[in-house]
Amino acid sequence: GQVDLASQYYVERLPLEANCYETVLKPGALIRIKAPRQMGKTSLMSRILLHASGTGCLTVPLSFQLADAVIFSDLDRFLRWFCASIGRRLKLPNKLKDYWDAEIFGAKDNCTAYFEEYLLPNLSSPLVLGLDEVDMVFAHPNIAADFMGLLRAWHESAKVSDLWKQLRLVVVHSTEVYIPMNINQSPFNVGLPIELLEFGGAQVQDLAQRHGLD
């Protein structure tokens, strides 16, 4: 499981941590962390969020494991859950009814408006979203391509919009992305790619010494 933030047993993979800490502070940043399970992805994401928090950013970790299976059945329902979950963690009132017009606009437009007109304007600091277990979204092609395209669109908006520069994304997944996706609508060919590899000999020795082993 995740290594506690105060644990002496967390071994850094230099210079990956330093690169992440530098990147997350950039306007509109996107960091993509990929590795097999139990390789330290969530532990690294937590440390990135901690570093961002220490510089004055607001941080929200969101694991898609928290979503009930039925949430993934429909894009509109999924994006409502997504917006409401982030708002709850920011301790902002749920105002989906005021910004969500399903009769006229699509779910992606409504979700974007909720961020653009409500969530981001009500924040006094940049917001770093840590999206963990994104693989759970990949398993649902009915929502995956649209959601990934939405993240890419927000990242691109940060190039021209001061408001969207306030949003930084850390996306964590353990498998390759096999869903059909237009390369220009994918967040997986932009931003800072981080791939966690197995420990080398020096890192294994370091970890053993931390456990008091010879």
Side-chain angles (χ1 to χ4, degrees), residues 1-212:
Q2 178 179 341
V3 179
D4 189 279
L5 287 170
S7 174
Q8 63 176 324
Y9 301 120
Y10 180 80
V11 177
E12 291 190 340
R13 293 174 168 93
L14 301 175
L16 294 187
E17 282 82 1
N19 291 342
C20 290
Y21 297 160
E22 179 182 356
T23 299
V24 75
L25 301 182
K26 296 179 180 178
L30 171 62
I31 300 173
R32 300 178 283 112
I33 303 173
K34 186 188 77 169
R37 294 193 174 277
Q38 304 303 320
M39 291 284 283
K41 299 183 301 300
T42 302
S43 297
L44 174 57
M45 184 192 81
S46 297
R47 282 158 177 78
I48 295 172
L49 296 187
L50 179 65
H51 178 77
S53 178
T55 66
C57 293
L58 296 171
T59 61
V60 172
L62 181 64
S63 172
F64 290 103
Q65 283 189 334
L66 295 174
D68 294 344
V70 69
I71 296 294
F72 296 98
S73 63
D74 174 77
L75 180 65
D76 189 82
R77 183 165 188 171
F78 173 77
L79 291 181
R80 284 174 180 262
W81 171 85
F82 182 70
C83 288
S85 297
I86 293 169
R88 171 179 282 182
R89 285 157 180 76
L90 290 170
K91 295 181 169 48
L92 291 173
N94 184 335
K95 292 192 176 182
L96 285 174
K97 291 182 179 179
D98 296 337
Y99 293 89
W100 212 275
D101 190 338
E103 292 185 8
I104 299 177
F105 301 106
K108 291 191 292 183
D109 198 356
N110 283 324
C111 182
T112 299
Y114 197 71
F115 270 77
E116 199 167 51
E117 300 173 18
Y118 177 54
L119 291 181
L120 294 178
N122 277 287
L123 302 179
S124 57
S125 304
L127 172 62
V128 182
L129 291 183
L131 305 181
D132 200 8
E133 300 286 349
V134 176
D135 306 77
M136 297 193 66
V137 181
F138 299 160
H140 301 273
N142 57 315
I143 66 170
D146 282 321
F147 180 60
M148 296 302 132
L150 185 63
L151 297 183
R152 170 64 181 265
W154 291 352
H155 176 68
E156 294 296 331
S157 293
K159 296 177 181 178
V160 296
S161 167
D162 288 339
L163 182 66
W164 284 104
K165 282 180 169 63
Q166 295 293 89
L167 179 66
R168 294 91 194 264
L169 299 169
V170 182
V171 179
V172 179
H173 62 105
S174 61
T175 59
E176 294 290 347
V177 185
Y178 293 115
I179 55 176
M181 193 180 303
N182 185 323
I183 191 171
N184 295 317
Q185 298 177 344
S186 166
F188 296 107
N189 62 342
V190 292
L192 175 67
I194 298 293
E195 185 167 2
L196 301 184
L197 303 176
E198 294 181 354
F199 281 167
Q203 290 166 319
V204 172
Q205 182 69 22
D206 180 12
L207 183 61
Q209 290 174 347
R210 295 182 190 212
H211 280 275

